[in-house]
């Protein structure tokens, strides 16, 4: 192979990969929001899930994009792990469309197709036409790159060294390893299958030599999802495990079939004169058959993922967020990013609210009966509350600066206010706990009457925090009215109990110092109510904004 042939091959590969990227980006621009909406509304029906995964991947021509999106949705709580199984299966089917498209020989028209696409981009000022122009230009460039690669590889047919290397691919282990490693490097099974088709078209490789490489390519494509799951929640990591398990199980099944039956010869007989089509057909059959075989065992794949990655407690002690995943702003696939960001923030503020609730209750319990260990636990969780506030601020800042639409950034920005109010509620709980410690250290306590009044304030604030603690945003309907009514009761009780305390002070049934501590405690509970109302207002605005965007 001459040096000029090598340069031509590299140039062809560059055009091929760039064309594929252009097509994927154009399709994402044209249909991204619709694809996001379909995934969000996915039902638990396994057949619908497979269909949705296949259609989305066929449209955006990237199983990696669909899988990364699915990982993000699972991590955000938008999709259950059980539903993600079907989408992943469908994505593996949808990704075979690219290979089938490449098998259609339209190389003679490739320059014309590329020109039409570029003309749509250059001569018309329309976002929609830009998207379609990018798709068409990408398709033309992809086939031009394919033709360049195939032509440059023809001399390899007469190279004994390369023929010997290719012949080793008929060894299942070697072929699978080569396919998996190469696909992991370029992070696209569609691209690696296309390159394999280019080799076949030039006559360098036959189907029996390529078949195990094809199986390995299905494993190698999982690397993108693996990378996307780094730093995510455990369910998101389990989604990646399911994706990897699906392709490994499929590979084992088809290696056994290929060794026991003339599978390669059968696939060759379907299109004897079109080797790229043979490779595309094997890729399609592999994923369709594996999906059919594993469809009844989706729940078993979920259980396998839980066995490999079991539940793990102790998020709070390890100072980690449960739901925030900043990789959604850095990966190459942006479908559904704003929805994922909003849901992650909502879930993380609910996580923060859970910790705040515990601390408010602990602070009251310390007033009733002081316990050093409980106070230390409260202070540890206060550090966790501060940590979550800082992480939410960082996440929202990254989200807003990631060029999301203004209306979507607005709802994300409201979480800054929410986390700030929650952090202040945590501070008030610490204030109350510190007063309990002061009384304990001085061997003093509030009167039974004062404690009973504080208990009423605690119950009212508990009711507010309980109203705010919901499973999903739909439960926030009419939340302002509910919280506002409770907050009015807190204001009324604060006034009434302050008058009662003045009477006790006048009757000398309490000291001036105790009276000051009691009044400050009342104020802390009253402020908790104020912050609760602020959070309710923010949640209501968030719900309205997201409803209007749906």
């Amino acid at each position: 192979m001459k040096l000029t042939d090598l340069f031509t091959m590299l140039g062809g590969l560059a055009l091929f990969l760039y064309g594929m990227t252009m097509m994927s980006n154009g399709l994402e621009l044209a249909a991204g929001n619709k694809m996001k909406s379909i995934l969000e509304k996915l039902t638990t029906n396994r057949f619908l899930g497979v269909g949705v995964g296949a259609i989305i991947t066929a449209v955006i021509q990237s199983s990696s994009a669909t899988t990364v999106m699915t990982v993000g949705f699972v991590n955000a709580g938008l999709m259950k792990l059980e539903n993600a199984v079907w989408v992943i299966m469908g994505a593996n089917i949808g990704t075979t469309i690219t290979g089938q498209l490449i098998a259609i020989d339209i190389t003679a028209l490739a320059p014309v197709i590329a020109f039409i696409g570029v003309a749509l981009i250059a001569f018309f000022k329309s976002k929609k036409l830009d998207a379609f122009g990018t798709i068409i230009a990408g398709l033309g460039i992809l086939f031009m790159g394919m033709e360049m690669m195939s032509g440059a590889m023809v001399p390899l047919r007469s190279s004994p060294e390369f023929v010997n290397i290719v012949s080793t691919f008929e060894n299942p282990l070697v072929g699978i390893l080569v396919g998996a490693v190469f696909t992991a490097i370029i992070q696209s099974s569609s691209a690696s299958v296309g390159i394999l088709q280019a080799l076949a078209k030039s006559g360098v490789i036959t189907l029996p030599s390529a078949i195990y490489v094809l199986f390995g390519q299905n494993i190698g494509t999982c690397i993108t999802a693996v990378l996307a799951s780094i730093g995510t929640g455990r369910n998101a990591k389990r989604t990646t495990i399911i994706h990897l398990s699906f392709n490994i199980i499929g590979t084992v099944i088809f290696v056994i079939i290929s060794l026991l039956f003339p599978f390669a010869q059968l696939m060759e007989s379907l299109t004897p004169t079109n080797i790229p089509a043979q490779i595309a057909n094997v890729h399609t059959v592999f994923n369709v058959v594996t999906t059919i075989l594993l469809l009844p065992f989706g729940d078993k794949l979920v259980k396998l993922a839980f066995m490999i990655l079991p539940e793990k407690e102790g998020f709070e002690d390890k100072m980690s967020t449960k739901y925030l995943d900043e990789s959604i702003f850095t990966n190459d696939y942006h479908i559904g990013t704003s929805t994922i960001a909003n849901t992650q923030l909502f879930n993380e503020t609910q996580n923060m609210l859970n910790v705040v609730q515990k601390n408010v209750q602990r602070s009251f319990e310390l007033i009733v009966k002081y316990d050093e260990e409980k106070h230390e636990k409260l202070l540890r969780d206060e550090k966790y509350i501060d940590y979550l506030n800082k992480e939410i601020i960082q996440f929202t800042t990254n989200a807003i600066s990631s060029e999301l639409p203004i209306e979507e950034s607005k709802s994300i920005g409201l979480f800054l206010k929410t986390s700030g109010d929650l952090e202040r509620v945590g501070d008030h709980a610490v204030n109350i706990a510190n007063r309990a410690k002061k009384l304990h250290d001085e061997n003093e306590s509030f009167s039974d009457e004062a404690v009973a009044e504080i208990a009423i304030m605690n119950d009212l604030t508990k009711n507010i925090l309980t109203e705010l603690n919901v499973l999903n945003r739909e439960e926030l309907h009419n939340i302002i009215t509910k919280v506002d009514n409770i907050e009015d009761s807190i204001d009324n009780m604060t006034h009434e109990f302050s008058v009662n305390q003045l009477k006790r002070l006048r009757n000398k049934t309490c000291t001036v110092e105790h009276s000051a501590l009691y009044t400050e405690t009342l104020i802390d509970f009253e402020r908790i109510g104020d912050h609760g109302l602020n959070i309710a207002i923010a949640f209501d605005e968030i719900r309205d904004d997201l409803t209007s965007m749906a």
Side-chain angles (χ1 to χ4, degrees):
M1 188 178 190
K2 298 178 182 177
L3 189 60
T4 53
D5 291 328
L6 176 62
F7 288 162
T8 303
M9 185 183 72
L10 291 175
L13 177 60
L15 286 176
F16 177 83
L17 294 176
Y18 183 63
M20 185 166 288
T21 301
M22 284 183 69
M23 286 185 67
S24 180
N25 290 343
L27 287 160
E28 187 177 316
L29 285 171
N33 289 331
K34 292 179 183 177
M35 297 302 101
K36 176 200 75 173
S37 177
I38 291 171
L39 262 184
E40 283 180 61
K41 297 173 182 176
L42 185 70
T43 70
T44 55
N45 183 293
R46 66 185 65 197
F47 299 104
L48 180 60
V50 171
V52 166
I55 291 169
I56 289 177
T57 306
V59 168
I60 62 177
Q61 295 205 4
S62 174
S63 62
S64 296
T66 305
T67 307
V68 168
M69 185 169 32
T70 304
V71 168
F73 277 27
V74 170
N75 193 53
L78 280 168
M79 184 185 295
K80 292 181 179 179
L81 188 62
E82 292 78 4
N83 293 3
V85 176
W86 319 128
V87 178
I88 289 170
M89 289 183 179
N92 281 277
I93 294 174
T95 194
T96 64
I97 296 298
T98 308
Q100 295 291 350
L101 188 64
I102 292 171
I104 302 170
D105 190 2
I106 56 171
T107 50
L109 296 175
V112 177
I113 294 171
F115 175 79
I116 292 171
V118 172
L120 287 174
I121 298 170
F123 303 132
F124 298 92
K125 303 300 179 183
S126 166
K127 287 186 177 180
K128 184 173 289 188
L129 287 178
D130 271 0
F132 287 113
T134 303
I135 297 167
I136 295 169
L139 181 63
I141 291 170
L142 181 149
F143 277 104
M144 289 167 65
M146 182 84 171
E147 182 66 15
M148 284 179 66
M149 278 195 297
S150 299
M153 289 174 182
V154 170
L156 292 175
R157 288 184 299 185
S158 57
S159 169
E161 294 83 3
F162 192 79
V163 171
N164 287 334
I165 292 172
V166 170
S167 66
T168 63
F169 294 172
E170 294 186 30
N171 181 307
L173 291 177
V174 174
I176 291 168
L177 183 62
V178 168
V181 171
F182 182 68
T183 307
I185 291 171
I186 65 175
Q187 293 189 35
S188 171
S189 63
S190 297
S192 62
V193 170
I195 293 167
L196 195 64
Q197 287 174 297
L199 276 168
K201 188 177 180 182
S202 64
V204 175
I205 193 169
T206 60
L207 186 61
S209 299
I211 197 163
Y212 296 114
V213 177
L214 263 171
F215 299 158
Q217 287 171 333
N218 285 279
I219 296 174
T221 192
C222 298
I223 189 64
T224 308
V226 170
L227 295 173
S229 70
I230 295 173
T232 61
R234 298 180 82 73
N235 261 352
K237 290 184 173 69
R238 292 184 187 111
T239 307
T240 301
I241 291 172
I242 291 169
H243 187 209
L244 192 57
S245 301
F246 175 92
N247 286 296
I248 290 174
I249 293 169
T251 296
V252 171
I253 291 171
F254 272 86
V255 166
I256 293 172
I257 290 174
S258 300
L259 292 174
L260 297 180
F261 303 98
F263 178 62
Q265 288 76 6
L266 173 64
M267 299 308 296
E268 282 178 317
S269 66
L270 297 177
T271 53
T273 60
N274 191 338
I275 298 179
Q278 294 169 13
I279 290 173
N281 291 338
V282 170
H283 193 211
T284 301
V285 169
F286 175 94
N287 285 291
V288 171
V289 171
T290 303
T291 297
I292 293 171
L293 292 175
L294 294 182
L295 197 59
F297 304 103
D299 57 335
K300 299 294 188 296
L301 289 175
V302 174
K303 289 180 180 178
L304 176 63
F306 271 92
M307 287 174 59
I308 296 172
L309 193 66
E311 288 292 352
K312 190 175 182 181
E313 300 298 330
F315 281 100
E316 296 172 24
D317 292 336
K318 291 195 174 182
M319 291 290 182
S320 62
T321 59
K322 280 189 175 182
Y323 302 101
L324 302 186
D325 171 21
E326 295 199 16
S327 68
I328 63 172
F329 307 124
T330 57
N331 67 57
D332 294 330
Y333 311 108
H334 303 297
I335 302 175
T337 297
S338 60
T339 303
I340 294 171
N342 269 293
T343 305
Q344 287 184 359
L345 282 165
F346 179 79
N347 290 339
E348 200 64 66
T349 52
Q350 288 293 311
N351 175 39
M352 189 176 179
L353 175 59
N354 285 331
V355 186
V356 168
Q357 277 182 293
K358 292 176 187 175
N359 266 8
V360 172
Q361 184 59 32
R362 286 189 190 112
S363 68
F364 168 69
E365 291 170 358
L366 290 169
I367 289 286
V368 177
K369 182 181 179 182
Y370 184 78
D371 179 87
E372 187 68 36
E373 186 176 339
K374 186 175 289 185
H375 192 189
E376 289 177 359
K377 174 61 176 169
L378 181 148
L379 294 176
R380 284 200 301 273
D381 277 5
E382 169 61 16
K383 290 181 181 178
Y384 182 53
I385 291 168
D386 291 340
Y387 166 81
L388 287 177
N389 184 45
K390 182 189 72 174
E391 291 298 308
I392 289 171
I393 291 171
Q394 180 65 44
F395 187 89
T396 52
T397 302
N398 289 342
I400 292 170
S401 63
S402 65
E403 299 183 2
L404 296 177
I406 293 174
E407 63 273 13
E408 297 177 7
S409 296
K410 179 186 174 185
S411 60
I412 288 173
L414 287 168
F415 286 105
L416 278 173
K417 190 174 185 307
T418 300
S419 67
D421 279 304
L422 285 171
E423 192 271 336
R424 289 297 298 135
V425 173
D427 290 343
H428 288 299
V430 171
N431 293 342
I432 296 167
N434 288 341
R435 287 190 206 99
K437 177 175 173 56
K438 179 177 175 63
L439 288 169
H440 172 75
D441 291 346
E442 295 175 357
N443 201 25
E444 297 284 351
S445 63
F446 288 132
S447 66
D448 291 343
E449 185 180 352
V451 171
E453 291 170 349
I454 292 173
I456 293 172
M457 297 292 284
N458 179 65
D459 287 342
L460 288 170
T461 54
K462 184 193 296 184
N463 290 342
I464 284 183
L465 296 177
T466 300
E467 288 289 346
L468 297 172
N469 195 342
V470 297
L471 294 176
N472 60 68
R473 293 190 295 261
E474 293 307 312
E475 295 180 37
L476 297 175
H477 185 63
N478 291 332
I479 192 170
I480 293 181
T481 302
K482 297 174 185 176
V483 172
D484 194 28
N485 289 335
I486 301 171
E487 204 274 331
D488 282 343
S489 297
I490 290 175
D491 290 343
N492 293 334
M493 290 298 101
T494 301
H495 176 71
E496 180 181 332
F497 295 157
S498 297
V499 172
N500 292 345
Q501 179 61 15
L502 287 174
K503 291 177 181 177
R504 288 193 290 270
L505 187 62
R506 188 179 300 120
N507 295 333
K508 301 187 185 305
T509 56
C510 74
T511 65
V512 173
E513 185 177 356
H514 282 187
S515 178
L517 291 175
Y518 174 82
T519 301
E520 289 168 355
T521 301
L522 281 184
I523 291 172
D524 275 313
F525 278 111
E526 191 266 336
R527 295 283 167 79
I528 290 172
D530 290 341
H531 289 296
L533 182 57
N534 291 342
I535 295 167
I537 293 170
F539 276 172
D540 188 69
E541 289 184 36
I542 289 167
R543 180 180 176 277
D544 287 346
D545 286 344
L546 296 181
T547 301
S548 66
M549 287 188 288

